[in-house]
Amino acid sequence: GSGLFEPVAFIPLLGAVFGAIAVVSMRTLHFSDPWEKIMAYYFTASVVVTALVVLFTADFTQEIFNVKSVLFVTLAGVFAALFQVFLTLASKWAPVRFLSPFIYISFIFGAVAEVMIWKRVIHPSVIVGFLLIVVGTILMVFLYPKEDLT
């Protein structure tokens, strides 16, 4: 629809580009820097980019902060940080092309949370997409050349 050309629609595209840069950079930096330093780079860049997105897109007059919303935001931040730490550590021992399908599984967890917390119904096309992610991940695990993992 016409919403595709709204400026806000470019935020997920930029997120995907920055995510790809982060994953490739993570693997490259493992050859020269410890994981703690990589995480410091990642979280600093993430905070700056997120602050800019919020600054230019949020309508602060409409935001409602209550205990429940602050708890959800805090939990999202904690789990995102844990995810990034574990992904960074895993990229030290496994090639990024092997790890990348597992990154997409996080979308499935997001949809499950959406159903459980906000009681939203998942569209059938999204379920088909999730099935493709799971099948792709299973194929990657079983068909990936084992000698390439060492």
Side-chain angles (χ1 to χ4, degrees), residues 11-12 45 116:
I11 293 172
M116 292 175 61

Side-chain angles (χ1 to χ4, degrees), residues 52-123:
L52 290 173
V53 168
V54 168
L55 183 66
F56 290 114
T57 62
D59 183 6
F60 293 106
T61 61
Q62 298 295 323
E63 298 297 323
I64 299 172
F65 295 103
N66 55 34
V67 174
K68 186 177 180 181
S69 66
V70 170
L71 176 66
F72 284 145
V73 168
T74 304
L75 285 173
V78 167
F79 285 116
L82 288 172
F83 172 80
Q84 191 59 46
V85 167
F86 290 133
L87 179 66
T88 303
L89 291 172
S91 69
K92 186 172 186 172
W93 292 288
V96 173
R97 65 181 178 275
F98 180 74
L99 296 173
S100 59
F102 294 100
I103 296 170
Y104 295 112
I105 291 177
S106 65
F107 293 112
I108 296 172
F109 290 119
V112 169
E114 191 170 334
V115 169
M116 292 175 61
I117 296 170
W118 289 282
K119 311 292 187 228
R120 294 190 182 159
V121 177
I122 299 175
H123 193 271

Side-chain angles (χ1 to χ4, degrees), residues 5-64:
F5 298 105
E6 300 268 336
V8 176
F10 290 103
I11 293 172
L13 178 64
L14 285 173
V17 169
F18 286 137
I21 291 169
V23 169
V24 172
S25 300
M26 204 181 336
R27 181 67 177 169
T28 305
L29 287 172
H30 267 300
F31 295 113
S32 61
D33 295 317
W35 72 272
E36 295 91 347
K37 194 173 190 180
I38 296 169
M39 293 307 303
Y41 293 149
Y42 183 84
F43 286 126
T44 301
S46 297
V47 166
V48 170
V49 170
T50 302
L52 290 173
V53 168
V54 168
L55 183 66
F56 290 114
T57 62
D59 183 6
F60 293 106
T61 61
Q62 298 295 323
E63 298 297 323
I64 299 172

Side-chain angles (χ1 to χ4, degrees), residues 98 101-102 134-146 149:
F98 180 74
F102 294 100
V134 169
V135 168
T137 303
I138 291 170
L139 288 174
M140 178 63 82
V141 168
F142 289 111
L143 298 178
Y144 198 86
K146 304 297 183 241
L149 290 175

